[in-house]
Amino acid sequence: MTKDFGRPPLAVANQELVERRLKELRDADGVQETLRIEWRGKPIQVEVIDMPVNSLYYNPGTHRIRAQRSHDPVLDRGLDEDAFSDDSQDYLHHLLRALPSDPSKRDPDFDALLESLRDFKQNEPGLITRDGILVNGNTRRAALKDLAEPDIRVGVLPSSCTWDDINRVELALQLRKDHRRDYSYINRLLAIEEQLSLGRTHADIAREFRTTARACEQDQWILTTLRDLVERSRTGGAQLRLLDFEDHQEKLKELHRRWVKESASSQEKADLMKESRLTAIILGFSKTDVRLIEPDFKSRYLDTRLPEAVRSQVPAAPAATVAIPGLNRTVRAADPKVAEARALTDSVLKVKAVEAAGENAPLEQVAEAAKTITAVRAAVEEALEPAGKDARVRKRKQAAPDRIVDACHDLEQCVTDLVLSRASRSLDEEIFDEAVLKLRESLGKLAVEAARSIKEPGDGVTWLLAATQKGEPA
């Protein structure tokens, strides 16, 4: 159920003004502007009128800035208590103009919208309830207010509109392909989570969000992971926020894909890789750097390079087995390496939270946190160098086998093509014979280099050498 924020102070006055302007519109001659929307599962056309910019209210439940509300916890609580007070509306006005990843900074996209409205005026109408709450067009209203424009064009929802309707209509309009300003990444994750909480299936949500069910499942996994990181970052009065991960979309998606692949063979390796990559993501490493981190990254490259102050915070490895109370039996405990990797991630999360708290944390703690982050980042950066070299070596080692596998796939397709050509009598036999001779020549070259490179040939290489020496397949 969507939160009910109640009615704003000017609700009655706005209702009267809306009714007057709708009547004026209907009494006027000529073609009137309308706006097409999805209303309770069906498309309808709503009438468009002009409304005073200063009479309208921002939607406190808008998905556009849901994650950014946590930027100021005090004002965020104020929004829940009285969403239409001057302080709450001013806070929403600030967030709508702010950079999604850092609400303390102004968003260049907002400035571009403001300049567009200044030069070309309003192209698309917004959408309001009859109480004057903006369902769509919150950011445009913020820009028009900054420009001191007196009026905004808006469509008007039916009088039976509820907060559930407001939520559904806003989401449907935002997800149109022609919409010009997307939700930020975290707000999109929150919108998908909200739809899941309403009992909708991944398939239904995927259709509405114009994506796939698998992508929705990935988004759910990522949001769950981020919530876990936020909780693990808590230290004293400092804590990271979801919006602090706004710029890591591609890295998180790649992390999930690799985690799923690794989990199929080893859950412990998957978790080791996940924790090490999360540490690098938190420290702000690039996607190409994060990609170098494998399950053995911490034990093989990082541990010896970590500063002693950080290593001392990692707890000792737990017992290899755990006793079951009441039974004379033990079970295998979680891999101690995973616990150590998780502890390292936790320590980085906590110092990052203190650093992000800035002036809200004691100065000496902030300075110590910055020092720790610099030291850990330097250690990870140093560890990435040999990890990268080994990755390049592995890639070179795998290049030749991968090319043979690709060639096998092409040959299998060739078999299919031969069957089809026999049925249609379309094979050019001379060209095919020339291609087979080229294949024999290539296999001969391959055999020569394989004999030089491989000291103890296995069955496959032995067959290749024998086949090329005889001049025909064995």
Side-chain angles (χ1 to χ4, degrees), residues 41-164:
K42 298 179 181 178
I44 65 169
Q45 300 284 345
V46 297
E47 296 162 301
V48 175
I49 60 174
D50 288 334
M51 284 292 287
V53 169
N54 291 329
S55 296
L56 303 183
Y57 294 89
Y58 296 120
N59 174 14
T62 178
H63 298 86
R64 181 168 297 286
I65 53 173
R66 189 160 294 182
Q68 286 68 33
R69 282 182 46 172
S70 62
H71 173 63
D72 188 320
V74 175
L75 291 175
D76 187 23
R77 286 194 296 272
L79 270 169
D80 286 329
E81 294 166 2
D82 186 357
F84 302 109
S85 68
D86 290 343
D87 286 344
S88 292
Q89 289 290 302
D90 287 345
Y91 185 44
L92 291 173
H93 184 74
H94 166 76
L95 293 178
L96 288 164
R97 300 182 300 172
L99 191 66
S101 58
D102 186 357
S104 65
K105 299 177 181 177
R106 193 173 173 95
D107 189 356
D109 287 344
F110 177 81
D111 288 332
L113 172 64
L114 189 142
E115 290 305 315
S116 175
L117 288 170
R118 189 199 309 275
D119 295 340
F120 306 108
K121 305 304 178 184
Q122 184 183 355
N123 292 325
E124 298 292 330
L127 186 65
I128 63 168
T129 68
R130 300 192 180 220
D131 285 353
I133 300 169
L134 283 150
V135 178
N136 191 43
N138 285 274
T139 312
R140 274 169 285 170
R141 190 256 187 169
L144 291 170
K145 189 173 183 180
D146 283 358
L147 293 171
E149 291 287 341
D151 296 310
I152 179 173
R153 286 174 28 249
V154 288
V156 182
L157 286 175
S159 57
S160 62
C161 179
T162 66
W163 279 102
D164 283 336

Side-chain angles (χ1 to χ4, degrees), residues 163-400:
W163 279 102
D164 283 336
D165 292 322
I166 291 173
N167 186 62
R168 283 194 294 267
V169 171
E170 185 216 0
L171 201 57
L173 286 171
Q174 175 60 40
L175 295 174
R176 283 182 178 177
K177 288 185 179 179
D178 61 351
H179 207 284
R180 295 184 180 177
R181 192 166 182 243
D182 293 333
Y183 288 152
S184 72
Y185 178 54
I186 299 299
N187 286 321
R188 181 180 174 86
L189 297 183
L190 291 171
I192 290 174
E193 180 189 55
E194 179 186 72
Q195 296 302 302
L196 287 169
S197 70
L198 296 174
R200 303 187 63 188
T201 65
H202 286 104
D204 288 341
I205 297 170
R207 280 193 296 272
E208 189 164 332
F209 278 69
R210 295 175 174 83
T211 183
T212 63
R214 181 174 295 180
C216 287
E217 291 170 0
Q218 180 187 72
D219 288 338
Q220 188 179 12
W221 184 91
I222 290 172
L223 184 57
T224 300
T225 298
L226 294 184
R227 288 195 187 282
D228 179 54
L229 293 179
V230 168
E231 185 60 34
R232 289 161 60 184
S233 73
R234 188 191 302 273
T235 175
Q239 186 175 24
L240 291 176
R241 305 156 299 179
L242 286 175
L243 65 90
D244 292 317
F245 300 92
E246 191 72 70
D247 292 334
H248 301 308
Q249 175 177 352
E250 292 305 319
K251 286 178 272 188
L252 291 166
K253 286 183 175 181
E254 197 164 290
L255 169 63
H256 172 261
R257 288 193 293 269
R258 182 59 197 279
W259 181 84
V260 170
K261 183 178 179 180
E262 201 69 50
S263 296
S265 58
S266 171
Q267 186 63 53
E268 290 174 353
K269 285 185 177 180
D271 290 339
L272 276 171
M273 181 275 304
K274 174 186 172 185
E275 291 297 330
S276 294
R277 289 198 178 191
L278 285 173
T279 297
I281 290 171
I282 296 160
L283 291 170
F285 282 91
S286 69
K287 183 169 68 173
T288 52
D289 284 337
V290 173
R291 197 176 289 157
L292 297 173
I293 296 175
E294 298 291 331
D296 63 351
F297 176 78
K298 181 178 179 294
S299 59
R300 187 173 181 181
Y301 306 106
L302 183 59
D303 280 345
T304 57
R305 293 172 170 86
L306 282 173
E308 180 58 34
V310 175
R311 286 207 304 270
S312 64
Q313 296 177 21
V314 178
T321 59
V322 176
I324 302 177
L327 299 175
N328 189 24
R329 301 181 66 181
T330 60
V331 294
R332 184 169 176 265
D335 190 337
K337 292 181 180 179
V338 175
E340 291 175 2
R342 185 178 173 88
L344 175 61
T345 306
D346 288 349
S347 65
V348 173
L349 283 166
K350 286 177 168 56
V351 293
K352 197 70 176 175
V354 172
E355 183 189 51
E359 60 185 20
N360 294 321
L363 188 60
E364 61 274 11
Q365 287 187 18
V366 175
E368 185 62 30
K371 181 180 176 181
T372 301
I373 289 170
T374 301
V376 176
R377 199 179 197 286
V380 174
E381 193 165 10
E382 186 181 344
L384 283 169
E385 186 173 346
K389 289 179 180 178
D390 287 353
R392 288 190 291 272
V393 169
R394 284 195 300 271
K395 193 172 183 180
R396 285 197 297 270
K397 287 181 177 179
Q398 293 168 359

